[in-house]
Amino acid sequence: MAIAELTLSSKNYSSWSLRGWLLCRLAGLDVREKMVALDNPDNRAELLLLSPSVLVPRLTHEGASVWDTLAIAEYLHELYPDAGMYPKDRIGRAHCRSVSGEIHSGFTNLRSALPMNLKVRHARFPIFSGAKPDIERVETIWKECLEVYGGPWLFGDRPTVADAMFAPVAQRFLTYAVPLSQEAARYCQTVNGWPLMREWIEAARAEPDELIELETEF
């Protein structure tokens, strides 16, 4: 049987790599990680221009090559429908897909103002005013999901595709000490304590500091 391969970039900086990896782990798919060179020009475009589909993440599996996070989610759900990647009921699945698609395609100001960096924590951080509507929208999404489905995850008692998609956002909020409602702050801690998230963070912290300049480019 062919081994699935997941192409990734920086674990410290790449939110898209994190999403793809979490999706594979949610599905229960064992993958061999292939890291692209950090000095690769296309990889820098993924990090600096915040494109969701340049080179990473890319899942190669049994002849298929899938290089977009939502495409990876749908591919894995098709292969492993019992893995619980989406809610069981039709309405819940539609809601999960909608909020996952929203974070996938928008929130550019949030991404540029608060780039992912898992190695640092700021006690205080000046937040660009243009990012505040994005932050408010994220809080609204989380509040609605947690109220409707009961938490502690966005769609109930276990993580779904939506949690994988919003995990980098939760980490950004923690990194930059973003003021949040009590409910949103609690959800950030839920994500931060997720064993899969802890595994990724540990690997990110062990990563060489080859992209220090990213901290000053936004």
Side-chain angles (χ1 to χ4, degrees), residues 6 16 19-27 29 57-59 66-81 83-86 96-97 100-101 104 160-165:
L6 185 66
W16 298 108
R19 290 181 174 107
W21 185 84
L22 287 173
L23 291 169
C24 288
R25 295 295 296 270
L26 278 177
L29 177 65
R58 179 185 295 267
L59 175 63
V66 195
W67 62 88
D68 177 271
T69 48
L70 287 185
I72 289 171
E74 294 299 326
Y75 177 78
L76 293 171
H77 177 62
E78 184 178 332
L79 281 180
Y80 307 106
M85 297 184 70
Y86 287 102
C96 184
R97 284 187 168 103
S100 298
H104 178 271
T160 64
V161 168
D163 299 291
M165 295 300 294

Side-chain angles (χ1 to χ4, degrees), residues 81-145:
D82 297 325
M85 297 184 70
Y86 287 102
K88 292 182 179 179
D89 67 286
R90 177 178 60 89
I91 303 301
R93 284 197 304 276
H95 192 181
C96 184
R97 284 187 168 103
S98 294
V99 299
S100 298
E102 186 173 349
I103 192 61
H104 178 271
S105 60
F107 300 89
T108 303
N109 285 336
L110 188 156
R111 300 182 204 280
S112 59
L114 307 174
M116 193 169 88
N117 187 339
L118 297 174
K119 291 185 179 182
V120 300
R121 285 288 181 94
H122 297 274
R124 296 182 63 186
F125 191 84
I127 299 174
F128 168 53
S129 60
K132 291 181 180 178
D134 283 356
I135 294 170
E136 291 170 1
R137 176 57 187 155
V138 168
E139 286 200 86
T140 297
I141 291 171
W142 290 359
K143 177 180 175 61
E144 181 179 90
C145 289

